[in-house]
Amino acid sequence: MSCCGLLTVQKQPVPLKSIEVQLEVRDHVATVVSTLNYENKEDKPLEAVFVFPLPGDAAVCHFSATIGQTQIVAEVKEKQQAREEYDDALSSGQQAFLLEESEQSPDIFSLSVGSLPPGESASIRLEYVIELAVQADDGLRFCLPAVLNPRYEPQGSEGASVQVTSVPASLVPYSLSFSARVSSPRPVSKVESSCSLDPLQYLNTEQTQATVKLAAGHKFDRDVELLIYYKDAHQPTAVVEAGQASAKPGTLMGDPVVMLSLYPEFPQSVMSSVSSCGEFVFLMDRSGSMGSRMNNSESHQTRISSARDTLLLLLKSLPMGCYFNIYSFGDSYKHLFRKSVKYNQKTMEEALKKVEVMDANLGGTEILKPLKHIYSQPCIPSQPRQLFVFTDGEVSNTKDVINLVKKNSGSHRCFSFGIGEGSSSALINGLAKEGGGHAQFITGTDRMQPKVMQSLQFALQPAVVDISVTWDLPKGVSVTALSPPITTLFQGQRSLIYAQLTGQVGASSDAAEGCVTVKYSLAGHPSQNQLHFSLKPEEDTGLTVHRLGARTLIRSLEMEEREHRGQQDGGVKEKVVELSVQSGVSSSFTAFIAVNKGNNEPIRGPLVRRDVPTADSKNCCHFLHSPNKSSHIHTATHRLFSVHTLFDFSSEASSSRDADTEPKQPLRDPLLQLVSLQEASGRWVLDPALAAALGKTSEEVEKTKPALVNQEVWATILALIWLHGFKMNAKEEWELLANKAVSWLCAQNAPCVAECVEAGNTLLGCAVQRDVLGL
């Protein structure tokens, strides 16, 4: 990747002046309004193309432009028609604006600002709604993507390649302002961020409403991530939203829509009786960018180093009797074993030796090939396949990858992890959603290990099967599901259901209720959860629920169209276009188009294209150059096609590094040092390495051992005391492997356990009770 364009950008003004973002969070749904302010300082008419990331599951529902005193509100139209109208407007000298979603990935949008006259300013307003994902610690995650990694083009893929150039970030000429308002039926306990925030301001004494904003001086050089915490978060809720008064009854926008948030609770008796088993397949990204730091700080380890530590914890936490394998990928892929092997001391040691020397040296991000190979392997009877995918990259064939996972969803569950700024939300969320698993994002100062271990706990939960949803509604009210059927349930994790309510909903009394029942089978035991809800529409929700419901249905139909492309008469695509136009929510087959027809004078002069630089996480600015971006671009006018975007500097092409240039890694964390000594069975062995990990000499450890206790029992109890005494803040990282150690100890039926615990506490300077250890 060459560094060029510095002088050009220095000498020529850039049109984007500022970005303002307002976030409105209601419970677990967010409305985001972004305003982009442009100014043409050229002496010629200007066209700018701004390519930017949005969350892959966002419902873009409003787009407008203000030029001087004139506001133009965009309409949603079929994509090719919108492109033609845009080109026609520019050809006739009119101002026009086009907003379209990438056909390859739903988290990339391009905004074309056309025929901006010399000296003129334009303000672009973009609005979208989104559900906030629940994190491992019950926080709700909102992410404003600033970083768009270069899309890796798989070998042999179609479409124009994208060349990248970069300039220093000191030239970034525009600012970002960001503010958020949070409201919920439950108190807001705290709001955290990867960026500096001003103090949280509560708006009422109940603390159910609050505002927060970015501290002054923020550089838009990383994703802006907010984590919102409510008290008593896991409460099932229902929101009924009235239909649009101007829309026809019986249509999606004309009828009420209900959004249900369910938190299934599994019977404890069933959960405790299930034995852990499975085939665990770990697919690790080893492309060049995995050699980058976890964040900007030089003190933080690299992504691949953090991944190695995470694999250590995973391998130590697997249950005895399961099967496992490790794949890694870049331009090509490798597997540790020819096929998955039974987990025991020998195979675990062999795997750990290979993991220790894993580096970020495999080039690009070819994820489709290893996935195809994994799915070609026969499943092992009575060992449910659990796939863990780790990647920091983005691929241009996101939809192909997700389709492959969906096609194989009946034979496995897929848990995905986005590492670092700019990992594709569409890819990570899509893998987990279609694979019936769970998605996690590791950014900023996040530790990878606790999030991955939470997903392992989910993977060890038994698969829920035979899931059905039934409705009990008053007479005269019928229901149409907008969400695809629920295929996955996890203990305590939220499931969302959208449905259209048709009939006399408004005529019902205020006390009228509906009831939804989710039935399922867990380890052969039939179970169910119910939620009763009022049919009275909520006030002041606007059309947020309708738009999210429309987005859900649009995504399902798009997936159906891709699966049957060439086998249908285009009916599904027509349905998507009709629904998108009716709801005002974007899709891959539609675009927002706005033309200023009020300006009588055509704009004279050839159009000039300008780059809009932005900073990335390496304090460097980037542009994408793509001469043949889409079919609506033609050469009738002079257009220097330079597309603005942000993305991580550590691209696949530039970040691959030789082993001798790998930065020196810090000394191993004491927790990982102790964990690395545990055997596959769960026990520890009494040796000098264990004594050193405990901070003691071999003589101190051996002479305090009770006489009747064997060395392995004593060593294992000491390790458990140390974990509980010194590492409770990281319990989610070691809880599973500690449970394995306790199971091993119980199986030994060892004497003098109470004496061992007392002696161990004295030796290590702790006060951990025997019952806390589970003994």
Side-chain angles (χ1 to χ4, degrees):
M1 181 167 68
S2 58
C3 236
C4 61
L6 177 62
L7 293 176
T8 305
V9 175
Q10 222 172 13
K11 291 176 179 176
Q12 296 177 346
V14 176
L16 185 61
K17 288 176 63 182
S18 64
I19 302 176
E20 301 160 19
V21 178
Q22 293 175 302
L23 172 67
E24 175 88 23
V25 178
R26 293 192 175 205
D27 207 7
H28 61 266
V29 170
T31 301
V32 187
V33 178
S34 297
T35 306
L36 292 79
N37 299 306
Y38 289 87
E39 182 179 4
N40 181 10
K41 294 183 179 179
E42 303 276 344
D43 56 3
K44 301 181 184 71
L46 188 72
E47 182 184 17
V49 176
F50 181 47
V51 173
F52 56 98
L54 285 180
D57 45 2
V60 178
C61 54
H62 176 87
F63 172 50
S64 61
T66 302
I67 303 167
Q69 301 301 311
T70 306
Q71 185 187 37
I72 321 156
V73 178
E75 300 174 73
V76 178
K77 296 191 177 181
E78 191 277 326
K79 186 173 280 187
Q80 191 56 39
Q81 180 188 347
R83 288 171 172 175
E84 288 171 3
E85 287 188 21
Y86 178 79
D87 276 345
D88 290 345
L90 264 58
S91 299
S92 59
Q94 290 178 309
Q95 296 161 341
F97 304 85
L98 181 73
L99 178 72
E100 55 185 316
E101 179 184 310
S102 163
E103 291 176 7
Q104 279 72 44
S105 185
D107 60 348
I108 304 298
F109 281 77
S110 66
L111 168 61
S112 301
V113 180
S115 285
L116 196 59
E120 188 70 86
S121 296
S123 178
I124 309 294
R125 179 185 166 100
L126 173 73
E127 183 177 331
Y128 64 89
V129 290
I130 189 171
E131 304 140 356
L132 301 184
V134 183
Q135 300 300 288
D137 58 359
D138 295 341
L140 293 171
R141 179 181 186 262
F142 168 77
C143 181
L144 178 69
V147 173
L148 173 59
N149 282 331
R151 298 277 153 156
Y152 181 77
E153 294 275 354
Q155 293 174 5
S157 63
E158 297 177 2
S161 60
V162 176
Q163 298 88 43
V164 182
T165 58
S166 58
V167 296
S170 57
L171 298 174
V172 175
Y174 60 83
S175 59
L176 167 76
S177 65
F178 176 90
S179 61
R181 180 188 174 103
V182 182
S183 59
S184 170
R186 300 174 293 283
V188 182
S189 54
K190 61 179 176 176
V191 177
E192 297 178 346
S193 178
S194 55
C195 309
S196 297
L197 298 175
D198 286 345
L200 188 68
Q201 301 287 326
Y202 288 106
L203 302 179
N204 59 6
T205 52
E206 296 85 6
Q207 298 189 344
T208 58
Q209 296 180 10
T211 60
V212 70
K213 62 181 180 178
L214 278 181
H218 173 76
K219 303 269 188 217
F220 200 18
D221 58 352
R222 74 196 77 165
D223 292 354
V224 177
E225 183 183 58
L226 284 190
L227 291 169
I228 300 162
Y229 296 86
Y230 299 129
K231 290 177 181 168
D232 304 319
H234 285 329
Q235 299 298 319
T237 58
V239 176
V240 176
E241 183 177 84
Q244 197 171 14
S246 59
K248 183 181 173 184
T251 64
L252 173 61
M253 299 308 288
D255 282 344
V257 170
V258 61
M259 174 178 64
L260 302 172
S261 307
L262 305 173
Y263 290 88
E265 293 295 332
F266 300 159
Q268 190 55 45
S269 57
V270 177
M271 294 294 287
S272 58
S273 67
V274 175
S275 60
S276 298
C277 60
E279 178 197 10
F280 297 87
V281 180
F282 305 109
L283 178 58
M284 181 64 65
D285 188 343
R286 287 176 58 191
S287 60
S289 55
M290 287 288 287
S292 306
R293 301 275 176 188
M294 286 296 290
N295 66 19
N296 294 341
S297 170
E298 285 300 311
S299 63
H300 278 77
Q301 63 185 157
T302 60
R303 296 169 183 176
I304 193 67
S305 174
S306 181
R308 286 194 296 261
D309 290 347
T310 302
L311 281 172
L312 166 67
L313 279 174
L314 283 167
L315 288 170
K316 294 291 184 176
S317 302
L318 291 179
M320 288 294 283
C322 75
Y323 287 73
F324 78 102
N325 204 351
I326 300 174
Y327 286 72
S328 55
F329 69 95
D331 287 331
S332 57
Y333 68 90
K334 300 179 178 182
H335 41 75
L336 198 59
F337 303 105
R338 190 175 57 81
K339 61 180 183 178
S340 293
V341 296
K342 195 162 189 177
Y343 176 76
N344 54 39
Q345 184 66 20
K346 179 173 179 281
T347 55
M348 184 191 77
E349 285 180 352
E350 188 177 344
L352 286 171
K353 283 177 186 172
K354 295 284 179 66
V355 167
E356 280 177 10
V357 295
M358 275 189 179
D359 208 349
N361 55 4
L362 292 186
T365 313
E366 287 268 13
I367 192 171
L368 203 57
K369 290 179 181 176
L371 281 174
K372 284 180 177 177
H373 184 268
I374 290 167
Y375 294 140
S376 73
Q377 302 297 301
C379 291
I380 302 167
S382 303
Q383 301 286 347
R385 180 173 288 170
Q386 317 281 357
L387 174 62
F388 284 63
V389 179
F390 301 81
T391 181
D392 72 339
E394 309 202 1
V395 292
S396 65
N397 58 342
T398 300
K399 292 183 179 177
D400 293 336
V401 173
I402 292 170
N403 274 346
L404 179 65
V405 172
K406 182 178 182 182
K407 224 175 266 182
N408 292 275
S409 59
S411 64
H412 81 304
R413 290 192 289 190
C414 181
F415 298 84
S416 53
F417 306 90
I419 304 168
E421 308 288 351
S423 57
S424 167
S425 64
L427 179 65
I428 301 304
N429 287 325
L431 287 171
K433 182 179 178 184
E434 299 304 337
H438 188 250
Q440 302 267 24
F441 291 87
I442 300 107
T443 59
T445 56
D446 288 349
R447 279 176 60 79
M448 191 184 302
Q449 290 85 346
K451 295 194 172 187
V452 174
M453 298 313 292
Q454 187 211 27
S455 289
L456 179 58
Q457 290 194 338
F458 284 157
L460 290 170
Q461 288 182 19
V464 175
V465 296
D466 300 331
I467 303 170
S468 66
V469 177
T470 55
W471 299 79
D472 183 10
L473 298 169
K475 190 176 180 182
V477 179
S478 60
V479 64
T480 304
L482 302 175
S483 307
I486 297 176
T487 56
T488 310
L489 288 174
F490 291 112
Q491 168 82 18
Q493 273 295 298
R494 184 185 69 204
S495 290
L496 288 172
I497 299 174
Y498 293 93
Q500 177 181 341
L501 301 175
T502 304
Q504 303 300 309
V505 182
S508 307
S509 69
D510 287 351
E513 271 197 346
C515 175
V516 66
T517 304
V518 181
K519 295 181 179 179
Y520 51 89
S521 178
L522 177 72
H525 298 263
S527 299
Q528 69 175 42
N529 294 123
Q530 272 191 340
L531 176 63
H532 293 265
F533 60 95
S534 168
L535 287 173
K536 184 183 178 184
E538 299 265 336
E539 296 178 1
D540 302 326
T541 60
L543 290 169
T544 301
V545 174
H546 279 75
R547 285 164 176 159
L548 287 171
R551 188 283 323 272
T552 301
L553 184 53
I554 284 169
R555 291 284 180 253
S556 297
L557 290 170
E558 286 174 338
M559 181 74 78
E560 183 184 333
E561 193 275 339
R562 284 195 299 276
E563 286 175 357
H564 302 100
R565 190 166 290 171
Q567 303 169 26
Q568 296 177 332
D569 57 4
V572 176
K573 182 176 177 181
E574 287 173 7
K575 268 192 215 169
V576 171
V577 172
E578 181 185 354
L579 182 58
S580 178
V581 170
Q582 180 198 136
S583 63
V585 171
S586 64
S587 76
S588 58
F589 302 130
T590 53
F592 283 92
I593 174 71
V595 178
N596 185 6
K597 296 173 181 174
N599 53 337
N600 297 320
E601 283 294 313
I603 297 159
R604 308 289 182 189
L607 279 175
V608 177
R609 297 296 285 260
R610 285 292 173 255
D611 296 328
V612 185
T614 54
D616 75 354
S617 59
K618 292 291 183 183
N619 298 319
C620 199
C621 222
H622 298 273
F623 311 108
L624 281 174
H625 297 280
S626 176
N628 300 307
K629 172 184 167 277
S630 68
S631 59
H632 83 277
I633 298 301
H634 55 70
T635 56
T637 55
H638 172 62
R639 301 190 190 177
L640 202 82
F641 198 85
S642 302
V643 183
H644 151 279
T645 185
L646 254 99
F647 55 83
D648 190 39
F649 178 67
S650 37
S651 71
E652 328 295 12
S654 65
S655 297
S656 186
R657 47 178 103 196
D658 298 327
D660 58 356
T661 62
E662 178 72 24
K664 189 175 179 182
Q665 296 298 329
L667 292 173
R668 173 164 271 184
D669 176 273
L671 170 62
L672 296 176
Q673 190 177 345
L674 180 71
V675 168
S676 69
L677 301 173
Q678 188 186 30
E679 294 191 348
S681 62
R683 72 177 187 179
W684 273 267
V685 175
L686 196 66
D687 61 13
L690 176 68
L694 298 173
K696 301 295 176 183
T697 64
S698 295
E699 185 183 0
E700 287 173 317
V701 170
E702 287 170 9
K703 76 178 182 183
T704 52
K705 180 181 79 67
L708 296 177
V709 175
N710 73 39
Q711 291 191 338
E712 286 79 15
V713 169
W714 173 236
T716 303
I717 290 175
L718 285 178
L720 287 172
I721 292 172
W722 188 91
L723 289 172
H724 282 273
F726 298 106
K727 289 296 176 180
M728 279 303 291
N729 62 334
K731 185 179 179 182
E732 60 269 41
E733 299 182 33
W734 52 259
E735 188 172 18
L736 286 173
L737 61 90
N739 289 344
K740 195 159 67 164
V742 170
S743 296
W744 180 84
L745 282 169
C746 292
Q748 306 312 301
N749 202 19
C752 310
V753 170
E755 187 184 347
C756 283
V757 172
E758 185 179 345
N761 276 319
T762 302
L763 173 66
L764 298 175
C766 298
V768 180
Q769 300 297 312
R770 176 180 174 177
D771 59 339
V772 171
L773 297 176
L775 299 173

